[in-house]
Amino acid sequence: SGKFFVGGNWKCNGTKDSITKLVSDLNSAKLETDVDVVVAPPFVYIDQVKNTLSDRIEISGQNSWVGKGGAFTGEISVEQLKDIGAKWVILGHSERRHVIGEDDQFIGKKAAYALSEGLGVIACIGEKLEERESGKTFDVCFQQLKAFADAVSSWDNIVIAYEPVWAIGTGKVATPLQAQEVHVAVRDWLKKNISAEVASKTRIIYGGSVNGGNCAELAKQEDIDGFLVGGASLKGPEFATIVNSVT
Ligand code: 13P
C-alpha cells in the first residue's frame, strides 16, 4: 500500500572520499521512477551529499533533538535538518534504543516534534532475539507503535520501519513470511487503534540484512512496502538493485 519506499541508512560510516564515490554511483544508477528513495548520511556529510546528489533522492537525518535547538551540546535540531535540506528523520532506530538508551516516550516526543516542523518520520520498531524466542514479538512492536501513536496527531508523514534487532547487521535476514507476518499485525494494529484509512495508507517497510540477493523475495510480500537498508546502502549499485525490486 502506498508508493514503494527505500531508505539507505548509512549509520556512522563513510569519509568525504567514500561518500563522493557513493554519491557518484547513486547519480549514475538507473532507479525505477515509482519509488520514494531516501538516504540518511551522517550529519557531518549531509551538506556534501545535498550539494552533489541528484534531487531524485531525498535526504534524511539519522536522529534529531526532541525539541527546539539551543543549549544541547552535541545534538542536531529538526530546524537545522530542514535548513540543510533534509526532508526526513529516522527515529527509534534499535541502535538508539538499545545502544544509546532512548526510551519509547522520548522517541515519541521526538517524532511529534519533527512532524510538527514538517519533517517526515521513519519510525522504527522491532523486537530483540530473546523477545522473539519468548513469543513477545507482537507485544514489543505494539508497545513501540503505541508510544508513537500516543505522541503524534497525524500519520500522514510517517513511514513505519519494522527492523527486528536480531536481523540488523547480522546477515540473518527475516524470511519473507516472518516479515510479512509482523507487517500484517502492524497494519491490523493501526486499523484497530488509529483508523482503516491510516492502516491502508501507511507504508510499512522492512529492515535488517536486506541485500541485493534477498530483496526481490521480500518485496513480493503483500504488506512489505519497501526497505530500510544499512550495510548494503553503502554500495551504490546494490542499493539501486534494492530500489528496483519494487513489484
Ligand atoms: P543492515 O541492513 O546493515 O542489517 O541494517 C539495517 C538497519 O538497521 C537499517 O536501519
Side-chain angles (χ1 to χ4, degrees):
S1 27
K3 195 170 175 185
F4 206 68
F5 183 106
V6 177
N9 177 7
W10 298 356
K11 307 192 181 182
C12 188
N13 291 295
T15 60
K16 284 197 278 186
D17 283 351
S18 73
I19 287 172
T20 300
K21 164 91 168 68
L22 178 52
V23 165
S24 133
D25 287 347
L26 289 171
N27 285 343
S28 56
K30 206 181 157 303
L31 302 177
E32 291 288 341
T33 49
D34 203 25
V35 183
D36 286 333
V37 186
V38 175
V39 295
F43 292 123
V44 291
Y45 299 117
I46 289 182
D47 198 44
Q48 178 189 341
V49 173
K50 181 67 192 164
N51 290 324
T52 52
L53 184 66
S54 152
D55 288 343
R56 164 72 184 89
I57 301 177
E58 293 187 324
I59 310 268
S60 175
Q62 297 178 14
N63 180 35
S64 57
W65 177 239
V66 67
K68 196 168 152 53
F72 305 105
T73 303
E75 292 295 327
I76 305 287
S77 72
V78 169
E79 292 81 1
Q80 289 167 332
L81 279 174
K82 283 183 2 184
D83 185 42
I84 208 158
K87 296 276 189 284
W88 296 89
V89 62
I90 297 171
L91 293 173
H93 192 280
S94 77
E95 286 143 20
R96 298 213 63 89
R97 290 179 187 273
H98 305 304
V99 183
I100 292 149
E102 293 189 8
D103 67 22
D104 282 348
Q105 264 203 334
F106 190 55
I107 295 162
K109 268 196 201 165
K110 288 186 174 195
Y113 187 73
L115 291 168
S116 77
E117 290 294 312
L119 281 188
V121 169
I122 302 169
C124 303
I125 61 172
E127 82 288 0
K128 298 188 206 172
L129 183 61
E130 62 267 29
E131 293 164 340
R132 172 162 285 261
E133 286 175 342
S134 56
K136 292 191 191 130
T137 297
F138 291 170
D139 289 350
V140 170
C141 290
F142 295 165
Q143 186 191 320
Q144 293 172 348
L145 211 47
K146 183 172 187 302
F148 282 113
D150 287 347
V152 308
S153 50
S154 163
W155 285 77
D156 288 350
N157 224 358
I158 302 180
V159 170
I160 296 171
Y162 169 56
E163 300 206 299
V165 181
W166 48 271
I168 296 179
T170 58
K172 273 207 208 167
V173 64
T175 66
L177 288 179
Q178 279 176 324
Q180 167 67 11
E181 182 188 32
V182 177
H183 285 222
V184 169
V186 166
R187 211 178 291 288
D188 204 48
W189 188 94
L190 291 173
K191 189 170 175 185
K192 286 194 189 117
N193 295 279
I194 314 292
S195 74
E197 197 197 359
V198 165
S200 79
K201 277 195 186 157
T202 302
R203 271 105 34 111
I204 306 171
I205 65 177
Y206 168 80
S209 296
V210 175
N211 62 37
N214 60 30
C215 55
E217 283 303 311
L218 287 159
K220 278 187 202 155
Q221 297 297 314
E222 173 91 22
D223 290 278
I224 297 183
D225 304 317
F227 299 113
L228 190 56
V229 186
S233 73
L234 298 170
K235 299 171 208 150
E238 185 167 6
F239 186 64
T241 299
I242 298 168
V243 168
N244 294 339
S245 69
V246 58
T247 49

